[in-house]
Amino acid sequence: YILFLDADDILEATFLSSRVEFLSSNPAYGICGTDILTIDYKSLIMTATKRMQAPDDNMLNQTLLYQQPYESVPSNLLIRRQILIDHSIFFEERLSSTADKYFLCCLAKFTECKNIKGGRLLYRILEGSMSHSITSKLLSDNIKYFSLLKKNNIIPGKIYNVVAKKNYYMMAGLALRLKDYRNAIIFFLKYGLTRFKLLNRSFAF
């Protein structure tokens, strides 16, 4: 098995044993995880945060569509080592804040994840973390992420327009907050066109 653990996260006592027990007994699954508890810089549990858990039986859609409460946190997951070896799955070095999502999308082509009961991940949230900072690098990273999804045909056709709409809207919002008006206009136009396609498809039925 492989576990990717961030330096500032903490594992509950039965984190590994519960995951190994599940994967040993359920060969159809290549990944498993649990609910996630968030902690602050003092390692105190944060009670006012949203619920977070491992993907559960539909990891690709849950990750691509940003479905809550499913979160792409590799530190929460135990993964069968052989799957990574057989399919040459690595973290994409051209990505930063979106690397975790892309990694899970690549894994989802070959196996499935289960959210189980057991030792949880204590996931540390810091105000200055990469995912909380609105920067031009964050916008560029999301553009690369969506481009790689399209290039490598990872998005299922039946949800492609929904995924595209969500990503265009998010990228337009990031660009607007950065006062990058050129990209804001481009992505708002792409969002509008994709939304129009979805509306036409719904009327067709």
Side-chain angles (χ1 to χ4, degrees):
Y1 303 109
I2 295 288
L3 170 67
F4 299 100
L5 179 60
D6 286 348
D8 57 356
D9 294 339
I10 299 173
L11 312 181
E12 285 190 331
T14 58
F15 180 100
L16 287 173
S17 59
S18 60
R19 285 159 174 74
V20 169
E21 181 180 352
F22 175 82
L23 291 178
S24 297
S25 304
N26 295 273
Y29 288 92
I31 315 168
C32 68
T34 61
D35 287 357
I36 299 170
L37 292 178
T38 55
I39 56 176
D40 61 18
Y41 73 101
K42 293 182 179 179
S43 298
L44 299 176
I45 293 175
M46 302 169 66
T47 57
T49 55
K50 63 182 180 180
R51 184 186 171 199
M52 301 170 67
Q53 70 173 62
D56 192 48
D57 284 320
N58 197 349
M59 183 166 67
L60 184 59
N61 281 24
Q62 289 160 5
T63 304
L64 287 172
L65 296 171
Y66 302 94
Q67 292 179 350
Q68 298 297 325
Y70 310 107
E71 294 289 340
S72 53
V73 180
S75 293
N76 184 37
L77 307 175
L78 193 67
I79 304 167
R80 294 188 193 276
R81 177 175 176 268
Q82 200 59 45
I83 294 171
L84 301 176
I85 294 172
D86 289 346
H87 302 289
S88 299
I89 299 173
F90 305 95
F91 281 95
E92 174 54 65
E93 294 182 353
R94 287 170 289 181
L95 300 176
S96 52
S97 63
T98 59
D100 291 351
K101 290 197 296 286
Y102 189 74
F103 178 72
L104 294 192
C105 288
C106 291
L107 269 171
K109 294 170 65 177
F110 306 105
T111 191
E112 194 50 85
C113 182
K114 189 68 177 176
N115 187 60
I116 65 171
K117 300 294 183 182
R120 294 166 295 185
L121 173 72
L122 304 184
Y123 181 62
R124 197 178 305 275
I125 302 291
L126 301 174
E127 288 187 7
S129 67
M130 180 169 51
S131 60
H132 287 77
S133 303
I134 305 299
T135 64
S136 57
K137 182 178 180 181
L138 180 64
L139 174 59
S140 174
D141 191 63
N142 277 274
I143 293 172
K144 289 177 189 174
Y145 164 71
F146 187 55
S147 176
L148 285 168
L149 290 176
K150 292 190 295 182
K151 179 182 177 181
N152 295 313
N153 298 313
I154 292 175
I155 309 171
K158 61 184 179 181
I159 63 167
Y160 179 86
N161 284 330
V162 179
V163 173
K165 185 185 75 166
K166 284 180 176 288
N167 279 274
Y168 289 142
Y169 186 80
M170 179 181 60
M171 290 186 286
L174 285 174
L176 192 61
R177 291 187 65 178
L178 291 166
K179 298 182 179 179
D180 180 354
Y181 299 119
R182 179 179 179 276
N183 272 321
I185 291 170
I186 289 171
F187 289 123
F188 270 127
L189 287 173
K190 289 184 176 182
Y191 163 77
L193 179 60
T194 308
R195 191 167 182 270
F196 179 73
K197 289 178 181 177
L198 284 169
L199 285 171
N200 275 354
R201 180 179 296 178
S202 65
F203 286 136
F205 291 102

